[in-house]
């Protein structure tokens, strides 16, 4: 069925009318499995007799057929390969074998070489995939170099403006020149030394727009209202905002600069001051908006039971723009993570997207971007794939098609979760408490995700942002959801935070004022990661 859809797509949207048929073949390379186990796995793990054909070592092709294989970039999470490896380990009861996977497209018809190249360009997103070699690999487990030492950026504290800009470019940083100059002053005057790469990359991550909402926190020193049909309304609303600021902050007004974040949050602060948000849970954990509700429970002496109802939304505009499937999938996964770390079970979601017209011909795509149709359809597949695997109902899906979303897509996921209040501890850590990392293994995918989504992008970005978009592991998050539903587990947790786009460095930032983290024990997908990569 998938091959039929791809055939239709290539013929109708790419104009490959000479294409007669298309076969989709899944290629597996396996290392570390004995012949008896392979014989058993052939028709249990890899294929089903009524549905599939199996070829070994070589794929027979007709004279009119052309084939090419596509695989994920090294380091990208491949769920099909990972699931196959897990099944093979269950089968053999031994060490987990290594599995690599590729999709082989077999095109049949009098298709010109130029058209085959166009098909490859359409089917291969360079952000997460590449054309795979047609030869059998010697090994799937090549010797990897030892992790490189984390360098100290010698000369950082004495660098001039050109030198700082060179450091910014070399490390792909989201910091502005002013940010780097501020950091330079600190290390020169306070630390009196040059920073390590890890320190600078962690600061870059923390200061990114993604992590600290730099744009929303920028102080507004002068506000004017442009003439137009809404001038009076805007001016009146702004005046009301300034009056409300005076009422809410009073003598502390000068300590609270005007900014977009203040405009967004001020109404809620005013409601709280007026005593109208008494049902909001107040805690130093800021994982999700948490509301205290009473529900009927006949087992309770009072007939009622307090629950926490949590709300969270996540935007994944940039990741979905450059890698639609993974970006939309982790939009949902990322939204789930926040109530989950608040110990709530997420049971409901909503998806709102904005896209350009997906029926526009592929030839009219803006240079350096994926076609709107490809973004729209693959994002829908990614969101639904993650939701189906984790078992989450998406009750509302809204897709807005408008020219305003051609240059930058909108991808929003929102979720609702709940947990009995008695099942949740909210306590501050003390000296001697243990920090435990629970979940999937760490790799290079996602490194730079926070800073990458905070930078301005060009038509070259699609070729340079590949490692920034993660492939979500829905079955792993499903296991975590089931773990957190167990009262005997969640009641052990004093404070919790989720892994966001900045990895370990951001996950620990809201746990306590000071921490000691042993990066050597972070579970890894593969060897060779240095301290900076493990941290961010």
């Amino acid at each position: 069925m998938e091959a039929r859809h791809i055939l239709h797509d290539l013929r109708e949207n790419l104009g490959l009318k000479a294409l007669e048929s298309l076969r989709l073949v899944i290629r597996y390379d396996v290392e570390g499995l004995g012949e008896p186990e392979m014989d058993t796995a052939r028709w249990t793990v890899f294929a089903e007799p009524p549905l599939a054909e199996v070829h070994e070592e070589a794929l027979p092709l007709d004279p009119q057929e052309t084939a090419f294989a596509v695989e994920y970039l090294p380091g990208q999470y491949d769920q099909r390969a990972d699931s196959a490896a897990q099944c093979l380990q269950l089968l053999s009861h031994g060490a987990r074998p290594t599995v690599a996977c590729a999709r082989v497209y077999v095109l049949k018809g009098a298709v010109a070489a130029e058209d085959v190249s166009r098909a490859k360009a359409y089917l291969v997103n360079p952000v997460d995939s590449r054309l795979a070699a047609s030869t059998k690999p010697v090994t799937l487990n090549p010797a990897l170099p030892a992790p490189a030492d984390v360098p100290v950026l010698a000369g950082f504290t004495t660098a001039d403006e050109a030198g700082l800009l060179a450091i910014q470019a070399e490390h792909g940083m989201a910091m502005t020149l002013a940010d780097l100059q501020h950091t330079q002053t600190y290390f020169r005057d306070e630390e009196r030394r040059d920073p390590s790469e890890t320190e600078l990359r962690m600061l870059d991550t923390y200061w990114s727009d993604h992590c600290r909402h730099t744009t929303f926190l920028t102080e507004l020193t002068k506000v004017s209202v442009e003439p137009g049909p809404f001038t009076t309304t805007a001016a009146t609303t702004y005046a009301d905002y300034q009056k409300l600021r005076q009422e809410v902050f009073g003598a502390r007004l000068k300590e609270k600069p005007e900014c977009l974040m203040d405009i967004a949050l001020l109404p809620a602060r005013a409601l709280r001051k007026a005593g109208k948000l008494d049902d909001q849970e107040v805690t130093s954990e800021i994982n999700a908006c948490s509301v205290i509700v009473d529900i009927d429970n006949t087992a309770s002496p009072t007939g009622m039971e307090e629950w926490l109802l949590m709300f969270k939304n996540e935007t994944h505009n940039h990741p979905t723009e450059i890698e639609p499937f993974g970006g939309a999938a982790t939009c949902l996964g990322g939204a789930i993570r926040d109530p989950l770390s608040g110990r709530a079970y997420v049971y409901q979601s909503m998806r709102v997207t904005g896209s350009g017209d997906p029926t526009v011909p592929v030839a009219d795509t803006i240079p350096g971007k994926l076609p709107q149709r490809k973004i729209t359809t693959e994002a829908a597949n990614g969101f639904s794939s993650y939701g189906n695997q984790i078992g989450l109902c998406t009750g509302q899906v809204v897709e807005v098609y408008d020219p305003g979303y051609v240059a930058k897509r909108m991808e929003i996921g929102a979720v609702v979760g709940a947990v009995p209040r008695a099942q949740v501890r909210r306590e501050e850590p003390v000296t001697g408490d243990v920090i435990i990392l629970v979940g999937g293994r760490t790799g290079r995918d996602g490194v730079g995700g926070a800073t990458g989504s905070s930078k301005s992008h060009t038509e070259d970005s699609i070729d340079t942002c590949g490692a920034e978009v993660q492939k979500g592991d829905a079955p792993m998050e499903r296991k975590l959801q089931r773990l957190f539903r167990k009262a005997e587990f969640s009641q052990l947790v004093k404070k919790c935070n989720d892994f966001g786009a900045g990895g370990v460095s951001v996950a620990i930032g809201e746990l306590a004022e000071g921490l000691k983290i042993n990066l050597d024990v972070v579970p890894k997908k593969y060897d060779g990661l240095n301290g900076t990569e493990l941290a961010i």
Side-chain angles (χ1 to χ4, degrees):
M1 288 302 297
E2 186 179 359
R4 195 176 298 176
H5 283 301
I6 296 170
L7 174 64
H8 176 79
D9 203 11
L10 293 178
R11 295 181 66 178
E12 298 302 317
N13 297 304
L14 216 58
L16 303 187
K17 300 298 184 182
L19 190 59
E20 297 174 13
S21 64
L22 181 142
R23 287 192 290 153
L24 179 60
V25 183
I26 306 300
R27 188 183 81 189
Y28 295 95
D29 292 307
V30 185
E31 183 172 358
L33 193 69
E35 279 297 333
E37 291 84 5
M38 188 65 192
D39 289 338
T40 306
R42 187 174 288 107
W43 293 108
T44 54
V45 175
F46 295 114
E48 296 178 69
L51 302 176
E53 295 178 7
V54 171
H55 303 281
E56 297 189 41
E57 300 299 336
L59 177 65
L61 298 175
D62 291 342
Q64 274 197 307
E65 287 184 325
T66 302
F68 59 90
V70 180
E71 64 184 0
Y72 283 131
L73 293 170
Q76 282 279 0
Y77 175 68
D78 185 340
Q79 185 173 349
R80 182 186 288 272
D82 183 43
S83 297
Q86 291 182 51
C87 292
L88 292 174
Q89 186 179 26
L90 290 171
L91 195 68
S92 66
H93 303 289
R96 181 175 297 186
T98 306
V99 179
C101 189
R103 291 159 62 91
V104 182
Y105 298 92
V106 184
L107 281 57
K108 185 176 182 179
V111 184
E114 178 187 348
D115 289 336
V116 173
S117 297
R118 289 172 58 212
K120 290 178 181 178
Y122 185 71
L123 293 170
V124 181
N125 181 358
V127 166
D128 72 336
S129 303
R130 67 182 183 186
L131 290 172
S134 58
T135 55
K136 186 176 179 178
V138 176
T139 178
L140 300 178
N141 298 294
L144 294 172
D149 291 335
V150 173
V152 171
L153 301 181
F156 176 82
T157 54
T158 57
D160 58 12
E161 186 173 304
L164 291 177
L165 289 173
I167 292 172
Q168 180 193 51
E170 179 185 353
H171 294 276
M173 304 185 76
M175 277 192 196
T176 64
L177 176 62
D179 293 333
L180 283 168
Q181 289 171 330
H182 179 77
T183 307
Q184 183 187 49
T185 300
Y186 169 79
F187 275 97
R188 183 187 63 228
D189 299 345
E190 302 295 331
E191 298 286 339
R192 298 183 181 180
R193 62 176 176 85
D194 288 321
S196 69
E197 177 197 54
T198 306
E199 288 174 311
L200 203 60
R201 290 293 295 271
M202 282 183 63
L203 284 172
D204 194 39
T205 300
Y206 265 80
W207 267 350
S208 69
D209 214 338
H210 181 99
C211 288
R212 74 177 295 269
H213 306 295
T214 309
T215 300
F216 265 56
L217 291 170
T218 299
E219 184 175 356
L220 305 177
T221 55
K222 182 182 178 181
V223 176
S224 58
V225 181
E226 294 180 353
F230 302 106
T231 301
T232 302
T233 303
T236 302
T237 303
Y238 182 66
D240 291 343
Y241 157 69
Q242 290 183 306
K243 181 181 177 183
L244 193 60
R245 272 174 53 82
Q246 182 67 53
E247 294 174 4
V248 172
F249 296 126
R252 298 186 301 128
L253 185 63
K254 290 185 178 180
E255 304 170 17
K256 302 290 184 179
E258 289 186 28
C259 61
L260 294 175
M261 186 68 81
D262 184 55
I263 292 173
L265 298 181
L266 194 64
R269 288 177 172 144
L271 287 171
R272 173 168 289 285
K273 189 170 185 178
K276 295 182 179 180
L277 291 181
D278 292 340
D279 57 347
Q280 181 182 352
E281 185 192 23
V282 179
T283 168
S284 63
E285 287 191 39
I286 50 174
N287 294 309
C289 176
S290 182
V291 180
I292 303 164
V293 296
D294 290 320
I295 67 165
D296 295 332
N297 185 355
T298 55
S300 169
T302 62
M304 303 293 289
E305 183 180 26
E306 280 192 343
W307 278 60
L308 299 177
L309 192 65
M310 297 191 192
F311 304 87
K312 184 66 169 69
N313 73 287
E314 181 95 0
T315 60
H316 263 220
N317 306 338
H318 164 70
T320 308
E321 174 74 31
I322 64 172
E323 204 290 87
F325 188 97
T330 50
C331 178
L332 179 58
I336 292 171
R337 280 199 317 252
D338 288 290
L340 174 59
S341 53
R343 275 78 93 201
Y345 179 75
V346 174
Y347 63 89
Q348 181 174 310
S349 72
M350 175 176 73
R351 178 175 184 244
V352 180
T353 68
S355 165
D357 183 354
T359 65
V360 169
V362 173
D364 295 339
T365 302
I366 297 175
K369 280 178 51 66
L370 298 173
Q372 291 299 313
R373 180 186 183 89
K374 190 177 181 71
I375 296 174
T376 300
T377 55
E378 291 192 10
N381 289 338
F383 195 98
S384 62
S385 170
Y386 202 97
N388 289 337
Q389 289 187 79
I390 203 167
L392 182 62
C393 171
T394 302
Q396 184 174 21
V397 177
V398 178
E399 294 199 339
V400 180
Y401 301 119
D402 188 274
Y405 296 115
V406 170
K408 189 65 173 287
R409 178 179 181 79
M410 176 174 71
E411 185 73 36
I412 300 173
V415 297
V416 184
V419 61
R421 194 179 187 187
Q423 200 167 303
V424 181
R425 292 170 66 181
R426 303 274 196 235
E427 299 176 22
E428 291 302 314
V430 297
T431 302
D433 282 347
V434 178
I435 302 163
I436 299 176
L437 186 161
V438 185
R441 293 172 292 160
T442 292
R444 289 192 173 92
D445 53 317
V447 170
T451 52
S453 61
S454 305
K455 291 184 285 193
S456 298
H457 289 271
T458 68
E459 62 185 65
D460 298 323
S461 299
I462 201 166
D463 297 319
T464 58
C465 300
E468 295 172 2
V469 184
Q470 291 175 298
K471 285 284 187 296
D473 185 351
M476 175 59 74
E477 190 168 31
R478 186 176 64 208
K479 293 176 187 176
L480 293 177
Q481 281 201 297
R482 291 170 176 174
L483 174 66
F484 273 69
R485 289 193 88 175
K486 296 179 184 290
E488 61 269 32
F489 169 79
S490 66
Q491 288 170 348
L492 296 173
V493 181
K494 297 172 69 172
K495 198 168 186 179
C496 184
N497 199 24
D498 69 301
F499 269 57
V504 177
S505 67
V506 170
I508 63 174
E510 295 165 5
L511 290 180
E513 292 185 5
L515 304 141
K516 289 183 179 178
I517 302 296
N518 183 2
L519 292 176
D520 289 335
V521 298
V522 173
K524 299 181 288 292
K525 294 179 181 177
Y526 35 77
D527 293 329
L529 300 174
N530 68 14
T532 303
E533 293 168 318
L534 289 171
I536 66 172

